[in-house]
Amino acid sequence: GLEAVWPVYRDRQRLPTGLGQAVHTRFLNLSPLERATAFPLILAFNEFDDSPEAWERFDRLSFRDLCQRLGVSRRMYEEAFEPMILTGLFAPGDQCSAAAALGMAYFFVLKSQNAFDVRWCRGNVGDRIFAPWVEKLHTQGVSFRSGCRAVDFVESEGGHRVAGVRCQRQVDGEESMLEADDVVFAVGMGALKAMTRTSFFAKRPEFARFGNLRGTDVLATRIWLDQVVDTPHWANACWGFDEEIGMTWFDVTRMHAPTHDHEPG
């Protein structure tokens, strides 16, 4: 059933960050005593100052272990914090470092009272944002090579930087080389691991260590129903159906209105 309701915080009375979220969020099944057990986490946030030393320290323990050490009740953790981690970091709290969880919580929750609010695109993101962006980049001389993958990297004279990227076209296997001043790795964990196994990066320990990281599978799908199903909220974080899995259910018809108003369901 419904556990909690997060409002649009910018529409509520402005309070100091942290206090505003605690006051305005409606937990329907947690008593004030249960919620009070979460206050010791303020100590962790005070110590987590985003310095390299803080990241190293909090990276040594999981977020679940941190909550247990600080006395967060089991019910508060399982009904409030675990769902946030599952739907925010896509992994259970015992597999996420405390540093990652605290960093996410600060950015999305505690940076300001309105940090949790999300503005949604009124329509398809690809059509309304990415397609115009790509078109604008085309007019500025940017070229795109779809269906190509990076298979190797060329180092500069002296070996201090990447001077080129060797690409392979997936359709016919034809290879080409792109000269580069800088290379941006805007890729997922699987692709990054494959890239770090190339000769250029394998001999560099700072890149070779990426092979020790793992990614999380995230699936997004759209379901069209044959009739309208009224729901009280547009965005719904859900968990508990399968162990270690969380999801967020969106009413896209209402979020993208009026784009899909003519469609059933």
Side-chain angles (χ1 to χ4, degrees):
L2 187 61
E3 291 282 348
V5 177
W6 278 262
V8 178
Y9 291 102
R10 66 176 178 271
D11 295 339
R12 301 302 177 97
Q13 179 185 2
R14 182 64 61 89
L15 297 172
T17 184
L19 179 62
Q21 290 86 336
V23 171
H24 298 316
T25 305
R26 289 196 296 124
F27 290 97
L28 306 182
N29 299 314
L30 288 172
S31 67
L33 183 60
E34 295 280 357
R35 283 177 278 163
T37 65
F39 278 99
L41 280 173
I42 297 175
L43 300 175
F45 279 108
N46 287 337
E47 296 179 18
F48 187 69
D49 57 4
D50 205 32
S51 65
E53 294 77 18
W55 274 93
E56 183 178 359
R57 176 187 172 191
F58 284 95
D59 214 26
R60 297 192 189 113
L61 73 162
S62 70
F63 179 65
R64 182 170 185 170
D65 289 339
L66 176 65
C67 290
Q68 289 177 338
R69 292 186 184 186
L70 294 177
V72 176
S73 74
R74 180 176 180 178
R75 187 175 180 186
M76 180 67 190
Y77 176 82
E78 292 181 349
E79 297 186 14
F81 292 134
E82 182 74 353
M84 293 181 191
I85 299 299
L86 284 172
T87 56
L89 293 176
F90 308 107
D94 59 358
Q95 296 181 25
C96 292
S97 77
L102 292 175
M104 180 201 72
Y106 174 78
F107 184 80
F108 285 107
V109 182
L110 295 176
K111 189 175 183 180
S112 69
Q113 179 173 307
N114 300 346
F116 197 73
D117 292 341
V118 178
R119 294 183 181 272
W120 295 99
C121 175
R122 290 285 187 176
N124 184 278
V125 174
D127 295 337
R128 297 179 66 93
I129 296 179
F130 284 100
W133 181 37
V134 169
E135 183 62 30
K136 183 176 182 179
L137 291 175
H138 272 303
T139 62
Q140 295 178 350
V142 178
S143 62
F144 294 86
R145 297 198 179 190
S146 58
C148 289
R149 63 190 184 95
V151 294
D152 204 355
F153 300 87
V154 179
E155 57 184 293
S156 63
E157 185 176 351
H160 300 302
R161 66 178 184 87
V162 178
V165 181
R166 196 176 304 280
C167 302
Q168 184 181 68
R169 198 160 57 185
Q170 293 178 299
V171 174
D172 53 14
E174 181 182 347
E175 292 192 0
S176 59
M177 208 278 284
L178 298 175
E179 295 184 359
D181 296 318
D182 296 286
V183 176
V184 179
F185 289 97
V187 297
M189 187 54 63
L192 182 60
K193 283 185 176 182
M195 290 179 181
T196 56
R197 288 193 292 267
T198 61
S199 58
F200 179 81
F201 292 111
K203 60 186 178 182
R204 291 169 168 78
E206 65 272 23
F207 285 97
R209 284 195 292 268
F210 279 115
N212 299 325
L213 299 177
R214 65 180 180 85
T216 300
D217 293 327
V218 179
L219 175 66
T221 185
R222 289 190 177 190
I223 301 175
W224 277 265
L225 306 177
D226 59 0
Q227 60 182 341
V228 175
V229 177
D230 292 325
T231 56
H233 305 289
W234 297 11
N236 306 270
C238 311
W239 76 101
F241 301 99
D242 292 285
E243 189 176 356
E244 300 182 351
I245 295 177
M247 67 177 182
T248 304
W249 183 85
F250 299 101
D251 187 343
V252 179
T253 301
R254 294 166 66 188
M255 289 171 53
H256 289 181
T259 304
H260 303 292
D261 286 357
H262 63 287
E263 300 174 1

